[in-house]
Amino acid sequence: MASVVPRPHEKKRVKVYELRNNDWFDRGTGFCTGQLVNDESRIYVESEDQPNRILLETKISKDDGYQKQQDTLIVWTESNGTDMALSFQEAEGCAAIWDFVSQVQQQLLALGGPDDALSDDAMDNFANPVMLPHPELGNLAEIDQMMRVASSSPAGRDSLSKFILSEDYIRKLVPLVSIAEDLEALQELHRLSNIMKMLILLNDTPIIEHMVDDGAVLGVVGALEYDQDFPNHKANHRQYLKDRSRFKEVVPINDPKVKKKIHSTWRLQYLKDVVLARLLDDPTFSVLNSLIFFNQVDIVSHLQQSPDFLKELFGIIDSPDTEIRKKKDAVCFIQQCCAIAKNLQAPPRGTLYTNFIQNGLLNVITFALLHTEASIRVAGTDILVAMIDHDPAMMRAYIFKAINEKKTPLTDTLIELLLIENDLGVKAQAADAIKVLLDPQTGPQTHEAVGRTSTDFLSKLRGNTQANPQTESFIQNFYDMSAAKLFQPLKDLEKRESLQNLSFQEVSLFSHLVEILMFLIRQHLFRSKFFITTEGLAARIAQLLSCPQKHLKLTALKFFRTCIGLQDEFYNRQILQSCLFEPILNIVYETMPRDNLLNSACLELFEFIKRENIKPIITHVVEHYRGKLQDITYVDTFQNLILRYDQMNGYSADMENTLFGQEDGSNTPGMKVNGNQRWQGVKEMDATEEEYFNTSDDEDELSARAKPGTPMTNGASPLVKPLVDYPDDDDELMDTKGGLPDRKPLTAPDDEVRSASSDKTLSPKPLTPIPQTPPERLSEKRRREEDEEDELGKLSHIKRRSPSVSSLGSTTTTLSNTLRRKKSFTSSKDSPTGKKIAISLSVKSPIDTERARDDGR
């Protein structure tokens, strides 16, 4: 088999396309060859830029459904279901590869074998191909039935398609439409309509191309006018397609093939969008889109390869002698070319736009935007938006060039169009174009395409982005020369006493201006701040909150939400200085308690302020509008704002229930802090605070609160504990004092405690067995370092003999630490007054002991 198939040795230049999500994706340009590898026929496409890179490698099989479309296109479906296409530069290259594929498939069908994907029934169908009778009105029912049977299997569909093409069957069916209409044979017209639908749904490209030819298209759409599902209605597709005035040849197209493709493309689009819109399935829709796409590629390629054509086309706009009608047709033709370019891949689309700009596209846009007819202005904005969407940096470069040449920049034309245009669609497109041009990003993809997350994130992102110097100059020129003119309508609001009589165009204009200003705030950090301050635009936007149009109120409210969301002190200060929260609160009063969008937007604004704890705004709102806030009770947002303000200033509604509660009574026995606040003691501590202190601390506190005369389990009184050694603190004390007599003043507070706590006389007996000596490790350290007297060593020896002293020492140390923590609570620097704390009797002795030790240090 391999020796029989002729191989195309010469490489054919080709583009490889892959169908992804009903859109043809350009995989690259390369050179195509047909090769035999291990008795397998394959098609290879090597990359033109990287010869070692293979763009396509596919094995030719019998069931891939190869189709040759037009003269330069081969389409097939891979075994995994992916639709592929090869678009050849020359028809000869396409014919060579097609012959190779056809002969390989014929030999595969002849040989059969294990790789044969066709069933026995299909082979029988090949042996007995579909044959339809000659079409007449009397046998249309038979033809309809035979086509339905053949369409039920893939082999039958393929056989039927070949018969239709070989017998030119469509041209035989076309005359029957007129005959049936003359006879008013409605049933036969319905059968002709069903036959035409089945032919289209075969998804055979040559059949569809044949149906849109000049000699067959009117008969085909004429039959489709009679839909069996709507027997009492008839469409008028032929009347629309017969209107030759819809085809306007602005510049003569000399190539008949290109002219034919233009007509075919228009008819295919009409079939897809109008005639077959209700009947199309996914495969047929894909086939029609493929035909339209490749026709458009061929048309655009022809235009780019004809410099004389482009020069003559754009010369129509520049020529003062050309009539206006022809200039309008030229603008519409360029608009259609740009619409076609949207479906192309980026490289050919960029080449087309570059050629257009070099031939004077910006002059065409300017002419269209300033034209008196709305349709021409719409066409101009469509062209401009298509250019900006492709590459805004390129458009900014050309506009910046016009600025340097002292010409009127395109931005000024857009601003003028936005201000005076009555068509709302043109206004919206002009506003979008201005925003994209002022985006500091230099790449073709902007953050609008990626999607916005939050204003905080974008402001940081924009601030860290290094913009192109030319872009920076372009933006600076906008603020110097054009921004004041753009926002002049907002400044003029200062002269208006009422906004109750705004026209629909004014409402739309103000909405777009506020949207643009929000965009500038997010993108141009320091420039927008200076501009808003000097022009006083924040106060003017606040005026819009009093207009009757709710959607305009929402836009103005969105502006303030954007400013506050940035959490920039500059914008917060501007809003507070102008007292701009008053109209927002008025909206809340007007709409409460209704749950509408306007009311919800206001509530969300104040919720954001509370959640983010923006203290200057909270202070301003509560101090200036506290009465209003207290009256709004159907939600707790404003009450929480007042509570947050009170907490910020040291006030609390439930301070009595806290650890340092404020007392309402005049004289309450107990421990008071700073006059009007008291410490309820450990009894008032909640579960969380008690859990903070460990078990030993709790035991020490209980012992500290116990009566002075109550003995401990080890036989020691609680009054004894503060008098024993404190291991951590006594180290320093011994270093500074150096002897036992320094500890004697510590016994003095005992008498004070006994006299103040109760009338009972406590026995001093528990005090006598406790030696006033430091721990063993301290005495040994002093002997090693300072050579102390023998008396100190003897006292150390006594200390080692007493086992209870160590336990008492550890217990008193824990108690001392606990009391020191309590002391830190009462001696806080934040206390409003400097009054002394009256502490309960049970804890006075340890605290006084602590103070005595500190004085000793």
Side-chain angles (χ1 to χ4, degrees):
M1 178 184 71
S3 61
V4 179
V5 178
R7 291 177 294 171
H9 298 285
E10 296 181 1
K11 296 181 178 180
K12 313 298 180 183
R13 195 167 186 269
V14 68
K15 275 185 173 292
V16 182
Y17 291 95
E18 177 183 348
L19 187 64
R20 298 180 182 176
N21 298 325
N22 291 326
D23 189 15
W24 286 102
F25 174 75
D26 187 0
R27 295 177 60 173
T29 303
F31 297 98
C32 179
T33 57
Q35 300 180 15
L36 298 175
V37 179
N38 297 327
D39 289 338
E40 291 182 350
S41 301
R42 294 180 177 271
I43 296 177
Y44 291 91
V45 178
E46 299 176 355
S47 175
E48 183 180 29
D49 300 330
Q50 303 174 2
N52 295 328
R53 179 166 165 257
I54 301 298
L55 296 178
L56 176 67
E57 179 183 356
T58 179
K59 177 185 175 182
I60 301 175
S61 60
K62 296 185 294 294
D63 54 348
D64 282 344
Y66 289 89
Q67 296 179 359
K68 182 182 178 184
Q69 300 179 4
Q70 306 169 12
D71 294 331
T72 59
L73 193 64
I74 298 177
V75 181
W76 74 97
T77 303
E78 293 283 348
S79 57
N80 58 1
T82 303
D83 291 332
M84 303 294 298
L86 294 177
S87 179
F88 291 83
Q89 183 179 10
E90 298 177 354
E92 293 79 3
C94 180
I97 297 297
W98 178 250
D99 291 340
F100 176 72
V101 173
S102 300
Q103 294 188 25
V104 170
Q105 286 191 318
Q106 289 176 5
Q107 292 194 9
L108 290 175
L109 291 174
L111 294 176
D115 61 341
D116 192 352
L118 299 178
S119 63
D120 294 335
D121 294 337
M123 294 302 295
D124 293 338
N125 289 331
F126 274 108
N128 300 303
V130 176
M131 299 292 292
L132 299 178
H134 183 77
E136 296 177 357
L137 291 181
N139 61 359
L140 289 179
E142 181 185 358
I143 295 173
D144 187 7
Q145 182 63 28
M146 293 178 66
M147 291 181 63
R148 290 182 185 275
V149 174
S151 301
S152 60
S153 64
R157 293 164 63 93
D158 185 62
S159 179
L160 179 60
S161 300
K162 292 181 179 180
F163 175 80
I164 297 295
L165 291 174
S166 62
E167 297 294 330
D168 199 7
Y169 206 74
I170 295 177
R171 292 190 183 274
K172 297 178 182 179
L173 290 170
V174 167
L176 298 181
V177 178
S178 301
I179 298 174
E181 286 180 334
D182 293 339
L183 298 176
E184 296 184 357
L186 186 60
Q187 187 175 5
E188 281 70 21
L189 288 172
H190 287 163
R191 288 191 178 122
L192 282 172
S193 177
N194 292 335
I195 291 172
M196 293 299 179
K197 291 176 185 177
M198 283 190 288
L199 291 177
I200 294 174
L201 295 177
L202 288 175
N203 301 333
D204 190 83
T205 303
I207 290 179
I208 296 177
E209 288 181 334
H210 183 57
M211 296 178 77
V212 295
D213 283 346
D214 294 336
V217 63
L218 294 179
V220 172
V221 297
L224 293 173
E225 289 178 356
Y226 298 92
D227 195 338
Q228 190 174 4
D229 296 335
F230 302 95
N232 298 326
H233 295 81
K234 174 183 173 297
N236 55 354
H237 302 314
R238 283 174 291 184
Q239 180 181 351
Y240 184 83
L241 294 177
K242 283 180 181 179
D243 189 1
R244 302 293 296 177
S245 63
R246 301 182 184 276
F247 177 72
K248 299 177 181 180
E249 196 171 7
V250 182
V251 177
I253 300 175
N254 299 322
D255 192 342
K257 292 183 179 180
V258 176
K259 188 180 295 186
K260 180 180 178 182
K261 287 181 179 180
I262 292 175
H263 288 292
S264 298
T265 303
W266 179 60
R267 293 164 183 168
L268 286 170
Q269 288 177 333
Y270 185 77
L271 277 177
K272 179 175 70 74
D273 298 332
V274 180
V275 180
L276 304 174
R278 191 175 56 89
L279 307 173
L280 287 181
D281 53 7
D282 290 340
T284 308
F285 186 81
S286 177
V287 170
L288 292 176
N289 275 339
S290 301
L291 288 171
I292 294 171
F293 173 77
F294 290 113
N295 283 343
Q296 290 176 345
V297 170
D298 293 338
I299 294 170
V300 171
S301 300
H302 172 77
L303 295 180
Q304 294 189 86
Q305 295 171 4
S306 304
D308 295 336
F309 179 88
L310 294 178
K311 185 177 181 180
E312 185 177 357
L313 174 64
F314 287 96
I316 294 175
I317 305 296
D318 298 332
S319 176
D321 301 330
T322 307
E323 57 182 1
I324 298 299
R325 182 186 59 80
K326 195 168 185 179
K327 288 186 177 182
K328 293 191 295 183
D329 292 341
V331 173
C332 294
F333 179 81
I334 296 172
Q335 177 196 13
Q336 292 180 356
C337 291
C338 293
I340 291 174
K342 291 181 181 179
N343 299 324
L344 303 179
Q345 299 297 321
R349 183 171 66 245
T351 304
L352 176 67
Y353 287 152
T354 303
N355 291 335
F356 278 6
I357 291 178
Q358 291 176 354
N359 284 276
L361 180 61
L362 297 183
N363 295 334
V364 176
I365 296 175
T366 304
F367 168 81
L369 295 180
L370 300 179
H371 201 273
T372 56
E373 290 189 17
S375 60
I376 304 302
R377 294 196 299 271
V378 170
T381 53
D382 283 343
I383 297 172
L384 178 61
V385 170
M387 297 285 296
I388 294 175
D389 287 342
H390 170 68
D391 191 353
M394 179 179 66
M395 290 299 298
R396 282 195 293 265
Y398 283 103
I399 297 174
F400 190 71
K401 181 181 178 182
I403 294 174
N404 294 333
E405 295 176 356
K406 306 301 180 182
K407 297 180 180 179
T408 303
L410 188 59
T411 48
D412 288 357
T413 306
L414 283 172
I415 291 172
E416 184 177 353
L417 178 66
L418 176 63
L419 297 180
I420 66 175
E421 179 58 49
N422 293 325
D423 188 273
L424 300 183
V426 176
K427 271 186 183 294
Q429 286 186 317
D432 291 340
I434 291 173
K435 286 190 286 187
V436 176
L437 286 175
L438 294 177
D439 194 326
Q441 292 298 308
T442 57
Q445 287 188 350
T446 63
H447 286 286
E448 287 80 9
V450 178
R452 299 185 184 276
T453 55
S454 65
T455 53
D456 304 46
F457 171 76
L458 279 177
S459 62
K460 297 177 182 178
L461 180 64
R462 298 294 187 181
N464 297 332
T465 303
Q466 297 294 331
N468 190 308
Q470 189 181 75
T471 303
E472 289 293 319
S473 301
F474 174 82
I475 295 174
Q476 185 61 47
N477 180 270
F478 167 79
Y479 281 99
D480 295 340
M481 307 299 296
S482 306
K485 179 182 178 181
L486 175 62
F487 294 102
Q488 186 62 39
L490 281 177
K491 294 175 60 179
D492 293 341
L493 288 176
E494 187 176 5
K495 304 174 184 178
R496 303 185 65 157
E497 297 180 357
S498 174
L499 298 180
Q500 300 299 319
N501 55 350
L502 290 177
S503 64
F504 198 74
Q505 285 75 18
E506 287 178 323
V507 171
S508 176
L509 175 61
F510 290 143
S511 178
H512 287 305
L513 291 180
V514 175
E515 291 283 353
I516 293 175
L517 193 59
M518 285 188 288
F519 177 82
L520 299 182
I521 288 174
R522 291 193 296 264
Q523 311 304 322
H524 310 155
L525 300 180
F526 64 94
R527 291 189 181 94
S528 61
K529 291 180 181 178
F530 178 77
F531 180 75
I532 291 175
T533 303
T534 55
E535 301 294 335
L537 295 179
R540 305 286 72 80
I541 295 176
Q543 285 185 252
L544 298 177
L545 294 173
S546 61
C547 69
Q549 290 80 9
K550 292 184 179 180
H551 66 278
L552 186 56
K553 287 183 180 180
L554 283 170
T555 304
L557 191 62
K558 183 180 177 182
F559 169 81
F560 293 108
R561 176 63 176 83
T562 301
C563 294
I564 296 174
L566 293 174
Q567 298 195 23
D568 193 317
E569 293 182 1
F570 173 84
Y571 293 113
N572 294 343
R573 188 164 56 250
Q574 291 291 318
I575 295 174
L576 298 182
Q577 289 176 355
S578 302
C579 297
L580 301 182
F581 276 99
E582 183 174 357
I584 299 177
L585 284 173
N586 291 337
I587 292 178
V588 177
Y589 264 79
E590 294 172 2
T591 57
M592 72 177 189
R594 300 189 300 271
D595 293 330
N596 54 25
L597 184 58
L598 191 58
N599 184 268
S600 299
C602 295
L603 295 182
E604 193 277 334
L605 174 64
F606 288 102
E607 279 289 345
F608 177 81
I609 294 172
K610 179 181 70 69
R611 183 175 65 253
E612 298 297 330
N613 196 23
I614 307 177
K615 295 181 180 179
I617 297 180
I618 295 176
T619 302
H620 171 84
V621 171
V622 176
E623 289 181 353
H624 288 76
Y625 313 106
R626 189 183 188 108
K628 284 188 175 182
L629 299 182
Q630 290 176 341
D631 294 340
I632 306 175
T633 57
Y634 73 103
V635 291
D636 59 357
T637 301
F638 301 95
Q639 305 304 321
N640 292 335
L641 276 178
I642 297 175
L643 179 61
R644 181 65 57 85
Y645 172 80
D646 292 341
Q647 291 174 348
M648 288 163 45
N649 290 275
Y651 304 114
S652 177
D654 55 348
M655 293 179 71
E656 291 185 356
N657 299 327
T658 61
L659 185 63
F660 300 97
Q662 184 176 358
E663 291 200 351
D664 295 334
S666 57
N667 292 321
T668 303
M671 187 166 43
K672 293 187 178 181
V673 180
N674 298 330
N676 63 345
Q677 294 181 357
R678 70 175 184 177
W679 184 14
Q680 298 294 337
V682 182
K683 295 180 181 180
E684 297 294 328
M685 294 175 64
D686 57 13
T688 304
E689 293 172 337
E690 288 180 356
E691 184 178 358
Y692 173 78
F693 299 103
N694 55 27
T695 306
S696 62
D697 290 342
D698 294 337
E699 293 175 356
D700 293 338
E701 290 173 7
L702 292 174
S703 64
R705 290 197 303 270
K707 291 183 179 181
T710 305
M712 298 290 291
T713 56
N714 59 0
S717 173
L719 296 177
V720 180
K721 292 184 179 181
L723 302 180
V724 285
D725 57 305
Y726 299 87
D728 294 335
D729 298 325
D730 285 349
D731 190 6
E732 298 178 1
L733 184 63
M734 292 301 295
D735 289 341
T736 54
K737 299 297 181 180
L740 274 175
D742 296 335
R743 284 184 177 268
K744 291 181 180 180
L746 296 177
T747 59
D750 291 342
D751 298 333
E752 218 173 300
V753 173
R754 285 192 296 270
S755 62
S757 60
S758 64
D759 295 336
K760 294 181 180 181
T761 303
L762 299 177
S763 175
K765 186 175 181 180
L767 301 176
T768 55
I770 301 176
Q772 305 296 324
T773 59
E776 176 185 2
R777 58 181 180 84
L778 297 177
S779 61
E780 290 178 354
K781 180 178 180 181
R782 291 192 60 79
R783 282 201 307 272
R784 288 193 305 268
E785 296 178 352
E786 300 180 4
D787 258 345
E788 285 296 330
E789 297 293 334
D790 294 337
E791 182 180 357
L792 186 59
K794 293 177 181 179
L795 292 176
S796 304
H797 185 66
I798 295 172
K799 169 67 177 167
R800 285 194 299 269
R801 290 181 180 179
S802 177
S804 62
V805 173
S806 60
S807 62
L808 288 173
S810 62
T811 306
T812 55
T813 300
T814 306
L815 178 61
S816 175
N817 294 335
T818 304
L819 292 176
R820 277 198 293 271
R821 284 198 296 272
K822 296 178 181 178
K823 182 179 178 181
S824 66
F825 276 100
T826 58
S827 61
S828 174
K829 294 182 181 180
D830 297 333
S831 300
T833 61
K835 296 182 180 180
K836 294 183 179 180
I837 302 171
I839 308 175
S840 62
L841 298 177
S842 60
V843 296
K844 183 175 181 181
S845 175
I847 293 178
D848 289 342
T849 304
E850 238 357 63
R851 291 175 178 171
R853 289 174 60 251
D854 293 338
D855 294 338
R857 293 178 185 175

